[in-house]
Amino acid sequence: MGADTRLTPATGSAPARNPDPVRALPLAQGVQEGVVSSNDDVRFSPADHAPVAGGRLEPNRALALVDFSAPSVGVGERFIRMAYRLGVPGAMLSGPMGRKARTRLLATVNNTLPGNRAAGTAIRAGHFLVHGAKTPIAQVDFAGAARVTPPLEKVVHSFSWLTDLEACAPREQGAPVAERILTAWLQANPKPPAKPGKGPAWSVGNTGARLANWLAHAPLILSGEKALRLRTLGHIAETARWLDRHVGSAEDGLAEIAGWVGIVAAGLLLPDGRPRRLYGEAGLIKALGELMGDDGGVLSRSPLAQMEAIALLVRLRNCYQATRRDAPPAIERVVELLVPPLLALTHGDGGLGSWQGGWAVDGADVEALVHASGVRARPLRDVRQWGYQRVSAHKSVLQFDTAPPPMPAHARFGCASTLAFEFSHGPHRIVVNCGGAASGGGLVPVRLEQGLRATAAHSTLTLDDANSTAVLINGMIGSGVTEVAVDRKTLPQENGSNATRLEASHNGYATRYGLTHQRILLLRDDGSELRGEDLLLPAGKKGKRGKVGFAVRFHLGPDVDVTLTADGKGAGLSLPDGSYWQFRCATDEGEMTVEDSLWVDGQGRPQATQQIVVQGMVSRGGGTFGWIIKKMN
């Protein structure tokens, strides 16, 4: 039988419970009850989910606690690490009589991470291009006193734009541009502040990423005049010392990883760096153990954060290779763990689904990052702790959010998306979520950020226009969904084929309305038919009196042309490849309409789309809403 689990935001664990036969659904009509086969996804077989040939993780094991311990070193190196952590200067621990070595770089790093050529070309033309919005470089306040949008702040102060500049032009053409921007930044930020938080330039996350980018792209910023080169090298050394002291004050887990990556990179590439490297490796591996769950998904549940974590570790690996060292095995294993969950959220076009503030990142960008990671892996299909279910059926892909939103400590752009789904066929997305809250400040207005994080911006059910989990400012999440029950089965059908049945329920509306939302999705293995049923069940022994408004939303992809049927209970969905799909509502409760919607594309830009909405009033004693999406030709 399929495994039935509950996920809670407090632990992310999934203790088993027995399936409740009373809650079996009429959706299983046409299914041979009693002949339910086992599903290897439900059993979460490590052999199915481990990287395939090319990875280094043994197929029959997961990462153990020992993998997150500091690299094994001798007694002398343990003493050096401890002394450096206590504040003994690296020069005193490395050089004879504590003599300080001249500041210089010990190696040149070969960058393997992909850059955005369009953004790099815009920089050469005098603009920062962030999610479709151009900002003149001359108008940017590099000191951070005049705040700009968060995406632009991150690009400017992390110096991630160096990768884009390198991707669009030879070094001799890009170096003068990089040096002009660097000079302006150094004039605005002559020295680090006493502590983090003094503007976006000196958050731990931006500072760690900036240090790593400076070291990785040194030829772009250290090829010019000697005065600028010496000044930059001095600032690099000072930034590394600042991170040594303040990395523990990071704004969240991913920012702490960026800080540790900067420290280790400096330990590898600066003189007298051995004590710093030993100190940084121990801190980095401990922080990695706290960043993600057992299945490799980061605790923020964000595919954007998953990509950022992979990119940080790949950049650090490049620094190791530049100094002819091997990265600690634990770091390599973490990269191998991070890739398969990311691939679980890819559609047929290779791009990502829109989850937890992310947008539909282009397939080419995902492919380039995975190629840079060096990991060959299959997508995970049952990412229980990260909280996503994936079903791949012929040309169709179904993604289903089956977990509570992330805990506030991890939520950069937490969304109330529990029990939302996305559905695609080939390269075309049929049902999507709006996505893009993290791109607010580009062409997506910042004021839309909270709306894009709301339950109504996702393809799921809402009650009384309320969020299933409270959406707060600054990306935070409040009370609401605390528990999700999940069940996955493979069901044989009468015609000899199979179907995958996903059932999940959440308690986000239980306190306010006395109702539990349960959703069942059944996808045929040929990908031609997706059946769904949304149930509202009394959370207590007795249902409450009265009625409450409900709405079941199906946000449509940008390529879908929708037309309502004459009876008002269905809609025709035409795709560019000539295929024709039909949506039918199998309930007499509520009215079906087509309304305007918004979808954020692969570059973080908003696109006007439409949504099918089934809405009306439902008894507080409960209700059932069935629907089907079926390929007609």
Side-chain angles (χ1 to χ4, degrees), residues 578-591:
S579 62
Y580 183 80
W581 296 68
Q582 188 176 54
F583 174 92
R584 293 294 297 178
C585 179
T587 179
D588 293 329
E589 296 187 67
E591 175 188 8

Side-chain angles (χ1 to χ4, degrees), residues 553 556 562 593-598 609-613 615:
R553 300 179 184 275
L556 301 177
V562 57
T593 59
V594 173
E595 301 178 3
D596 291 334
S597 183
L598 176 150
T609 57
Q610 293 180 294
Q611 59 176 313
I612 296 173
V613 185
Q615 56 190 331

Side-chain angles (χ1 to χ4, degrees), residues 61-312:
R61 67 179 292 270
L63 222 63
L65 288 177
V66 69
D67 294 317
F68 290 110
S69 61
S72 178
V73 294
V75 176
E77 290 184 322
R78 284 202 299 271
F79 172 77
I80 292 173
R81 179 193 294 157
M82 181 184 68
Y84 190 82
R85 186 172 63 245
L86 294 175
V88 179
M92 185 175 295
L93 295 169
S94 298
M97 305 300 293
R99 186 171 59 194
K100 187 175 181 180
R102 178 173 60 90
T103 302
R104 58 190 178 90
L105 295 190
L106 302 179
T108 299
V109 178
N110 177 33
N111 175 56
T112 62
L113 288 170
N116 187 314
R117 291 178 60 89
T121 302
I123 291 173
R124 292 182 63 196
H127 298 85
F128 286 117
L129 178 64
V130 181
H131 305 318
K134 286 185 177 181
T135 303
I137 296 173
Q139 295 180 12
V140 173
D141 178 10
F142 291 102
R147 297 299 295 267
V148 295
T149 60
L152 180 59
E153 283 182 348
K154 185 173 182 178
V155 168
V156 169
H157 296 297
S158 71
F159 276 68
S160 62
W161 53 266
L162 285 172
T163 308
D164 302 329
L165 188 60
E166 185 181 79
C168 80
R171 186 181 72 183
E172 53 271 17
Q173 296 178 15
V177 178
E179 289 169 356
R180 285 197 298 271
I181 300 174
L182 174 64
T183 299
W185 192 92
L186 290 175
Q187 289 175 346
N189 299 274
K191 61 179 182 178
K195 58 183 179 179
K198 300 297 184 181
W202 295 101
S203 66
V204 171
N206 284 343
T207 303
R210 179 171 66 248
L211 181 57
N213 281 316
W214 279 350
L215 294 169
H217 298 286
L220 280 177
I221 60 175
L222 297 177
S223 300
E225 297 179 356
K226 182 178 180 180
L228 177 61
R229 184 166 65 252
L230 293 176
R231 183 182 180 188
T232 303
L233 286 170
H235 204 93
I236 286 174
E238 195 171 6
T239 300
R241 291 192 293 271
W242 185 89
L243 277 174
D244 289 341
R245 299 191 302 271
H246 298 297
V247 65
S249 302
E251 48 273 28
D252 60 23
L254 191 57
E256 184 177 357
I257 297 299
W260 285 116
V261 164
I263 288 172
V264 177
L268 289 165
L269 295 168
L270 295 180
D272 299 328
R274 183 182 174 213
R276 175 177 281 130
R277 174 178 61 81
L278 294 171
Y279 163 70
E281 287 174 344
L284 173 61
I285 292 170
K286 179 177 182 294
L288 287 171
E290 298 171 351
L291 178 73
M292 62 188 196
D294 292 344
D295 53 25
V298 295
L299 298 183
S300 66
R301 304 194 60 226
S302 165
L304 294 182
Q306 195 86 2
M307 291 184 71
E308 186 175 342
I310 294 170
L312 284 167

